[in-house]
Amino acid sequence: MLHSRKILLIIGGGIAAYKCLDLIRRLAERGASVTPVLTRAATEFVTPLSVSALAGQKAFTDLFDLTDEAEMGHIQLSRLADLVVVAPATADLMAKMATGQANDLATTLLLATDKPVLIAPAMNVRMWEHPATKRNVTALQNDGVTFVGPNEGDMACGEFGPGRMSEPLEIVAAIGAKLADGPLAGKHVLVTSGPTHEPIDPVRYIANRSSGKQGTAIAAALAALGANVTFISGPADADPPSGVKVIEVQTAKQMLDATQAALPADAAIFTAAVSDWRVSNVAGSKIKKGESGNFPALDFTESPDILRTVSKMTEGRPQLVVGFAAETDDVLANASAKRVRKGCDWIVANDVSPETGIMGGSENAVTLISEAGQETWARMKKVDVARKLAAKIAETLA
Ligand code: C5P
């Protein structure tokens, strides 16, 4: 996907600039060519020498380098790439971009380019939440700039919240999605996957069985068709696919929050085996084993139903919402009723009785149920179910 693609990487002056060294390596591993440009402030955080050594190309730093201007003017530099990536995009750089300033090489290239621009913001949480930055984000989005991140977490400044730059692999995934061609290019698809873990106490939890294999295969198949995929996964056995934005969660509540934060999306595929109940009296410390025959009393409450919540959205609902129904009895009748009850467009029904070997296995036998009727697919590998489903999604979103 990234082989031979040309990326103009503008490195802003923030502590997250160090992650760009890894980003360049990851891009180079995938066969992309990276032309680095550092703002003056960026050179305080990483050296042009390390950047250029990893990129295998000259690192540009100064607008008025007469040799560069003679050999390759800044306008030309801004046009040679397939994509311009700004990482880290500092509050200052975003403000300059939003107001069209061009007072150094980086901002001049950004104003002169005719190529798509992807930015990975990184700043202190207060700066990210400041109304001025919010105005700049809106202005940049209106100008067609694509964002990856920022993520929420611990920050170098000691605070916690949104403002951390996305990890290099997330940026690589966003670059891949931006450059992808394929029937789903430009579409955002959200996939939930894996089980959820609902705590009983700090060491115990309840969960459903789920390897995450089918969800992972679906996310990979959608990305292969060019979709920009957000993959929200509980603690699964399967490694998350590459080329997608991964959000790891533990509980149903966290999965719902992550899903809502990732919207809007063109389609949402809910493959996760979400625990239907959670313990409402979670113990703050480990429950002691106690005398034999003396069991702790657990109070249960319903988990939020993510599929139902998204299906029933009155505003901003994805065009296509797909649920899964893993059943052991009356599979098709139960799955059809579930489609109507939850309000999703399609439901993928499968029989997970132990004798089928589907749960945790590498094959699946599914029936796709929609308002129009039912389609039973022959038993096939989970990756093939994923490809067939992704192709059908592409057809529907076209
Ligand atoms: O109700 P049931 O768990 O059988 O429904 C299965 C479908 O609903 C799956 O698509 C699953 O991902 C989704 N689901 C959900 N949130 C829940 C329960 C199920 O999104 N709390």
Side-chain angles (χ1 to χ4, degrees):
M1 201 156 36
L2 290 178
H3 201 267
S4 310
R5 305 311 292 268
K6 296 193 198 74
I7 294 167
L8 181 68
L9 174 65
I10 295 179
I11 305 176
I15 185 68
Y18 79 92
K19 290 191 190 174
C20 281
L21 300 176
D22 193 28
L23 175 62
I24 296 171
R25 275 190 52 227
R26 304 290 185 168
L27 290 168
E29 265 166 25
R30 287 161 176 78
S33 122
V34 180
T35 304
V37 174
L38 291 92
T39 63
R40 207 204 53 75
T43 61
E44 304 283 341
F45 293 92
V46 284
T47 71
L49 186 61
S50 354
V51 167
S52 108
L54 285 165
Q57 293 196 42
K58 177 183 164 86
F60 293 87
T61 53
D62 190 355
L63 181 55
F64 299 108
D65 181 327
L66 290 178
T67 321
D68 290 339
E69 283 303 307
E71 287 168 5
M72 188 203 289
H74 58 269
I75 301 284
Q76 203 189 349
L77 192 56
S78 78
R79 307 275 166 89
L80 285 178
D82 296 312
L83 179 69
V84 181
V85 176
V86 185
T90 58
D92 174 66
L93 203 41
M94 283 172 55
K96 286 178 174 159
M97 288 173 73
T99 48
Q101 294 180 47
N103 52 11
D104 62 4
L105 179 60
T107 50
T108 304
L109 293 174
L110 284 160
L111 199 62
T113 190
D114 57 355
K115 294 298 170 358
V117 178
L118 172 82
I119 72 171
M123 65 196 72
N124 166 273
V125 54
R126 300 274 165 269
M127 291 166 81
W128 175 250
E129 285 171 350
H130 194 284
T133 304
K134 285 192 175 151
R135 281 196 300 277
N136 293 335
V137 169
T138 308
L140 291 170
Q141 282 169 336
N142 290 341
D143 288 347
V145 170
T146 305
F147 283 66
V148 49
N151 293 345
E152 191 170 288
D154 287 323
M155 320 232 350
C157 55
E159 290 184 30
F160 180 90
R164 270 172 71 97
M165 188 169 89
S166 294
E167 295 306 318
L169 283 180
E170 291 173 324
I171 301 175
V172 169
I175 293 172
K178 198 75 199 151
L179 290 176
D181 20 76
L184 286 173
K187 303 284 183 197
H188 177 212
V189 185
L190 192 151
V191 179
T192 68
S193 184
T196 63
H197 285 183
E198 310 297 333
I200 294 172
D201 66 17
V203 298
R204 303 181 179 94
Y205 59 83
I206 55 170
N208 285 5
R209 281 186 206 286
S210 169
S211 62
K213 280 185 188 162
Q214 188 64 82
T216 301
I218 289 170
L222 290 162
L225 295 185
N228 170 12
V229 177
T230 303
F231 183 70
I232 303 171
S233 178
D237 302 336
D239 286 334
S242 59
V244 307
K245 177 171 182 184
V246 180
I247 301 176
E248 288 175 352
V249 296
Q250 296 279 328
T251 66
K253 171 75 173 66
Q254 289 167 355
M255 191 173 271
L256 174 66
D257 291 346
T259 298
Q260 288 174 325
L263 291 172
D266 297 285
I269 324 299
F270 294 93
T271 70
V274 183
S275 173
D276 291 317
W277 317 282
R278 66 184 168 83
V279 175
S280 52
N281 57 338
V282 176
S285 51
K286 187 181 170 190
I287 301 170
K288 294 283 170 247
K289 195 169 164 195
E291 296 298 312
S292 138
N294 186 6
F295 303 114
L298 300 179
D299 293 334
F300 286 94
T301 179
E302 243 176 88
S303 299
D305 191 320
I306 308 159
L307 170 62
R308 190 169 188 280
T309 307
V310 172
S311 296
K312 305 256 173 188
M313 282 171 70
T314 48
E315 241 174 74
R317 180 192 189 274
Q319 185 189 331
L320 180 68
V321 180
V322 182
F324 272 66
E327 302 285 344
T328 53
D329 310 287
D330 291 330
V331 177
L332 296 186
N334 278 327
S336 289
K338 192 168 287 182
R339 190 188 75 81
V340 176
R341 196 171 61 246
K342 302 240 190 188
C344 55
D345 303 299
W346 300 351
I347 208 137
V348 181
N350 59 352
D351 186 343
V352 289
S353 310
E355 61 275 16
T356 63
I358 284 173
M359 190 80 91
S362 60
E363 290 186 344
N364 207 350
V366 308
T367 299
L368 180 66
I369 303 173
S370 67
E371 182 144 38
Q374 301 183 357
E375 250 180 59
T376 298
W377 298 352
R379 186 173 171 125
M380 58 181 99
K381 292 211 162 71
K382 286 183 177 170
V383 287
D384 292 324
V385 170
R387 283 198 199 108
K388 202 167 155 119
L389 188 66
K392 252 193 131 47
I393 292 168
E395 216 173 88
T396 306
L397 294 185

